[in-house]
Amino acid sequence: MTNFEYEKLTEFDNHRTVLYLHDHAVGLKGFIALHRGGFHNPTFGATRFWNYVSEKDALRDALRLSRLMSYKSALAGLSYGGAKAVLIAPVADEKNRERILRSYASQVNLLSGNFITGTDVGLDRRDLTLMKKVSKFFVGFRYNPEYYTALGIYHSIKVCLSFLFGSSEVQGRSVSIQGLGKVGALLLAFLYKEGAHLIITDLQSDLIRKLKKKYHRVQVVPPQEIYKQKVDVFSPCALSGPLNIKSINKLNCKIIAGGANNQLASEEIGALLFRLGILYAPDYVVNAGGLISVVDEFEYPQQDSDRIKKRLAIIPKTLKLILAESVRKKIATNLVANHLAEKRIKEFI
Ligand code: NAD
């Protein structure tokens, strides 16, 4: 166990277990945090491999993200608790990276199936294949989780449009997307096909060039310009914390619905958005499609993408409920979602 007094960290939420991963021989360091569940059903949460500035930083991320996974799971109608693993990426050559991942996978085995995991930022399918050879508790092979994440966001945008404008029609609506990685690019494809006016940005200019070639109607802006675009929908699909005290003053959108985890720098930002009259679709509600697909892979021996699409219907259903409750009680959508998730965690997880 770590020598941190992790109970004193603000991110600590009576987590069930926090494991300190350490294999000096190969250079593995990190944490596995199990937030809720793990008694009758396993916990779910992907593994992040990231260049954290300190162990404390990594631990905070594991605590925060594992909690988010419990909320995501509960509101997706799943009875699995949330978890997260974070590995502190050392400067390592390919061979050493392999040794670290093998050592990590063997530590996942120590949890005897109470923790089911896959890949998050910093890990790819090749890494997943390697770790699966050591541990059977890795998922994310059968489907492309990003596809279902993007599909859930697309349906959520339609719910928000309908809620605000009385029609879920995407054609003619303007949408700005921040981050055109795996999720953002798929979302772009869905919206482009339906005739949305799209404004996009990414830090990687090569990626933007390729997308502009394929989707010639899109408008490209530099990363720092994305917040101030006058659009119906702003969709953050890059990293955590895009909605903060600085950025929200620049916003010129009516709806925020995107894939990035932890979009709000703090819960108070959600309240500020509410006061500004901007409809915020809570991130962990709208981006649950990937989780639903890996849970389906875990639960069923047979592949069935129609089954996942049916299961995805819970996302727009829950979002509608949250938006209606927010109007009825006059409280911010993030707070409505948090209350609902906490209630469901107590009942089902
Ligand atoms: P990704 O790494 O493939 O893409 C992220 C993109 O954002 C990259 O192209 C990167 O260059 C860009 N980016 C980073 N910072 C930026 C900035 N400041 N301005 C503009 N662009 C920036 O990741 P992904 O899998 O597409 O996931 C995107 C987000 O969605 C992440 O926050 C992730 O945690 C979350 N998420 C992903 C899934 C999934 O299924 N992959 C599921 C749930 C949530």
Side-chain angles (χ1 to χ4, degrees), residues 38-184:
F39 295 102
H40 314 294
N41 278 332
T43 60
F44 272 78
T47 300
R48 185 169 284 196
F49 194 75
W50 191 246
N51 208 351
Y52 291 99
V53 291
S54 67
E55 286 187 24
K56 192 171 176 181
D57 219 41
L59 174 58
R60 296 181 95 135
D61 214 21
L63 293 173
R64 191 170 37 231
L65 289 166
S66 56
R67 177 170 178 232
L68 179 108
M69 287 307 294
S70 288
Y71 282 44
K72 191 181 295 195
S73 171
L75 290 195
L78 306 169
S79 50
Y80 303 99
K84 193 79 188 179
V86 301
L87 309 182
I88 301 168
V91 182
D93 58 26
E94 198 50 37
K95 214 166 179 186
N96 202 45
R97 181 185 164 93
E98 273 188 35
R99 282 202 291 264
I100 289 170
L101 296 181
R102 279 180 197 283
S103 169
Y104 164 63
S106 69
Q107 304 220 19
V108 168
N109 283 336
L110 296 177
L111 289 164
S112 312
N114 283 320
F115 170 54
I116 307 295
T117 191
T119 55
D120 188 40
V121 179
L123 293 173
D124 58 25
R125 216 179 166 81
R126 217 160 47 114
D127 299 321
L128 194 63
T129 309
L130 177 94
M131 293 186 283
K132 181 83 173 179
K133 285 183 187 148
V134 181
S135 168
K136 62 180 178 185
F137 304 120
F138 283 81
V139 284
F141 292 89
R142 194 186 289 160
Y143 304 103
N144 176 359
E146 297 86 24
Y147 174 82
Y148 294 102
T149 303
L151 193 58
I153 301 164
Y154 167 73
H155 288 308
S156 300
I157 288 176
K158 286 176 86 73
V159 166
C160 293
L161 289 174
S162 170
F163 191 80
L164 219 58
F165 303 115
S167 162
S168 62
E169 188 75 50
V170 167
Q171 187 167 26
R173 292 283 169 208
S174 50
V175 183
S176 57
I177 307 178
Q178 178 189 47
L180 279 300
K182 298 184 285 294
V183 173

Side-chain angles (χ1 to χ4, degrees), residues 224-240:
Q224 65 277 13
E225 303 275 304
I226 197 71
Y227 296 104
K228 64 178 186 196
Q229 299 304 314
K230 188 171 189 302
V231 285
D232 294 311
V233 185
F234 170 46
S235 186
C237 294
L239 301 182
S240 301

Side-chain angles (χ1 to χ4, degrees), residues 125-294:
R125 216 179 166 81
R126 217 160 47 114
D127 299 321
L128 194 63
T129 309
L130 177 94
M131 293 186 283
K132 181 83 173 179
K133 285 183 187 148
V134 181
S135 168
K136 62 180 178 185
F137 304 120
F138 283 81
V139 284
F141 292 89
R142 194 186 289 160
Y143 304 103
N144 176 359
E146 297 86 24
Y147 174 82
Y148 294 102
T149 303
L151 193 58
I153 301 164
Y154 167 73
H155 288 308
S156 300
I157 288 176
K158 286 176 86 73
V159 166
C160 293
L161 289 174
S162 170
F163 191 80
L164 219 58
F165 303 115
S167 162
S168 62
E169 188 75 50
V170 167
Q171 187 167 26
R173 292 283 169 208
S174 50
V175 183
S176 57
I177 307 178
Q178 178 189 47
L180 279 300
K182 298 184 285 294
V183 173
L186 285 161
L187 178 64
L188 164 66
F190 291 136
L191 295 169
Y192 190 86
K193 204 171 146 203
E194 298 229 350
H197 170 59
L198 291 150
I199 302 174
I200 62 168
T201 196
D202 198 287
L203 297 179
Q204 300 182 54
S205 42
D206 283 4
L207 183 65
I208 287 290
R209 246 193 311 277
K210 268 188 218 152
L211 289 169
K212 177 74 185 158
K213 240 184 190 172
K214 189 166 175 192
Y215 305 101
H216 54 271
R217 275 193 286 110
V218 300
Q219 183 188 339
V220 177
V221 294
Q224 65 277 13
E225 303 275 304
I226 197 71
Y227 296 104
K228 64 178 186 196
Q229 299 304 314
K230 188 171 189 302
V231 285
D232 294 311
V233 185
F234 170 46
S235 186
C237 294
L239 301 182
S240 301
L243 304 171
N244 51 55
I245 201 73
K246 266 193 189 162
S247 65
I248 66 164
N249 285 321
K250 296 183 195 159
L251 290 175
N252 198 356
C253 63
K254 299 186 178 80
I255 294 165
I256 300 173
N261 279 319
N262 282 322
Q263 287 170 30
L264 302 173
S266 70
E267 298 298 345
E268 288 73 42
I269 298 291
L272 283 174
L273 289 171
F274 184 69
R275 265 184 263 145
L276 288 169
I278 297 175
L279 183 67
Y280 171 66
D283 47 15
Y284 60 80
V285 178
V286 311
N287 72 13
L291 174 66
I292 291 172
S293 81
V294 295

Side-chain angles (χ1 to χ4, degrees), residues 297-325:
E297 174 180 335
F298 175 76
E299 290 177 347
Y300 292 94
Q302 303 299 333
Q303 180 160 347
D304 185 345
S305 41
D306 285 342
R307 184 178 57 229
I308 302 186
K309 284 185 183 153
K310 275 189 201 138
R311 294 183 81 167
L312 236 58
I314 184 110
I315 296 176
K317 190 176 162 203
T318 307
L319 182 59
K320 278 181 200 163
L321 197 129
I322 290 167
L323 299 186
E325 192 78 347

